[in-house]
Amino acid sequence: KQKKKNYKIFLTKNEMMNIIGKENIGNLQEAQGDSNNWIKLRDRIESCQCQTLGEWISFFNHSQAKSETLDKKKEWLYAATSTLSIDQYHKNSDFVALWLTYAKIQIQLDPEDDARNTFKCMKHNGIGKYNPQFYIDFANFELNSGKPNKAKVILEDGLANIPTSKEIQKEITNFELKSLNEDQTDFTSNSKVQSDQSFNLVREEVT
């Protein structure tokens, strides 16, 4: 009988380059290295060895971090906001973004007061004091929680701290327009109720 030949199943680097091209080999190696670096950084984070804002931002910007569950992201963000120095980073836009992202995830997962306490903590510590997005996110949170007056005060505070902010000015204008439309709707609705006694009786019974 003729012996079967043993074919090698592993390709050398040169053989692989001939198949998929030199440029793609480089991209593949870069991706593998990038993934390994992220895993090492994750291990540092979960063992509480991650100390700098730059490390945290690199970690969160990686595709593997972005694909994680909200619960896991919340866990990491809690660690970031708890360990990074507020005194050192409170004016940094990336640091503010970490806190705002944490608050937004709390809105989705936790009781309402948890996110509110995070926003209040930011305000108390001056995190985002000169960042328009802080006031916009905080105001929208209160507005969606049924507290339009608080939302308006937050936006006005923001404009007092950042008078040149076009973003906050736009939010205030939109807020005023929305309030005006709601007032007009309420007026029209009340007029209709007063002219329709039967509807008014039903409304009284319900309330």
Side-chain angles (χ1 to χ4, degrees):
K1 291 184 179 179
Q2 189 176 6
K3 290 185 178 181
K4 292 182 179 179
K5 293 182 178 180
N6 292 324
Y7 293 97
K8 60 183 178 181
I9 59 174
F10 297 105
L11 299 175
T12 67
K13 181 177 179 181
N14 288 335
E15 288 171 328
M16 192 176 291
M17 285 173 61
N18 291 333
I19 294 173
I20 66 174
K22 184 176 180 180
E23 182 179 347
N24 290 333
I25 278 282
N27 292 338
L28 179 62
Q29 291 174 331
E30 183 179 348
Q32 290 172 338
D34 186 43
S35 179
N36 290 336
N37 289 337
W38 183 82
I39 291 171
K40 290 178 182 178
L41 188 54
R42 183 197 62 190
D43 292 341
R44 279 171 52 76
I45 282 172
E46 295 188 343
S47 60
C48 300
Q49 296 177 8
C50 190
Q51 300 296 328
T52 69
L53 177 60
E55 286 180 305
W56 280 105
I57 296 303
S58 296
F59 175 76
F60 282 118
N61 282 338
H62 197 280
S63 58
Q64 288 182 256
K66 291 177 181 178
S67 64
E68 278 290 351
T69 64
L70 284 179
D71 284 309
K72 194 63 181 176
K73 290 176 183 176
K74 178 190 164 188
E75 178 186 327
W76 287 331
L77 284 162
Y78 173 77
T81 55
S82 299
T83 58
L84 289 170
S85 169
I86 291 176
D87 289 340
Q88 182 178 355
Y89 294 120
H90 69 280
K91 293 181 181 180
N92 186 290
S93 59
D94 287 334
F95 185 64
V96 176
L98 284 182
W99 276 82
L100 291 178
T101 303
Y102 180 50
K104 289 174 182 177
I105 290 179
Q106 285 182 305
I107 291 170
Q108 297 181 67
L109 297 179
D110 300 331
E112 185 178 282
D113 280 344
D114 287 4
R116 181 173 286 111
N117 288 337
T118 296
F119 282 119
K120 286 182 176 180
C121 180
M122 292 181 70
K123 181 179 179 180
H124 176 75
N125 289 286
I127 303 170
K129 183 176 182 179
Y130 300 106
N131 189 313
Q133 199 60 47
F134 163 67
Y135 299 100
I136 291 169
D137 286 354
F138 192 6
N140 282 326
F141 165 74
E142 292 294 8
L143 185 62
N144 292 330
S145 299
K147 297 178 172 61
N149 291 336
K150 281 190 175 181
K152 185 178 180 182
V153 169
I154 290 167
L155 290 174
E156 289 172 345
D157 285 346
L159 196 59
N161 289 325
I162 323 172
T164 59
S165 173
K166 294 181 179 179
E167 297 94 335
I168 296 178
Q169 290 173 347
K170 182 179 178 181
E171 285 293 317
I172 290 176
T173 300
N174 291 339
F175 181 87
E176 290 173 345
L177 288 173
K178 185 177 180 180
S179 298
L180 180 62
N181 290 334
E182 287 177 351
D183 290 342
Q184 290 175 343
T185 301
D186 290 341
F187 176 78
T188 304
S189 178
N190 290 335
S191 299
K192 184 177 180 181
V193 169
Q194 291 172 2
S195 64
D196 189 341
Q197 187 63 29
S198 60
F199 179 80
N200 193 40
L201 290 172
V202 172
R203 185 167 173 268
E204 288 178 353
E205 289 174 3
V206 173
T207 56

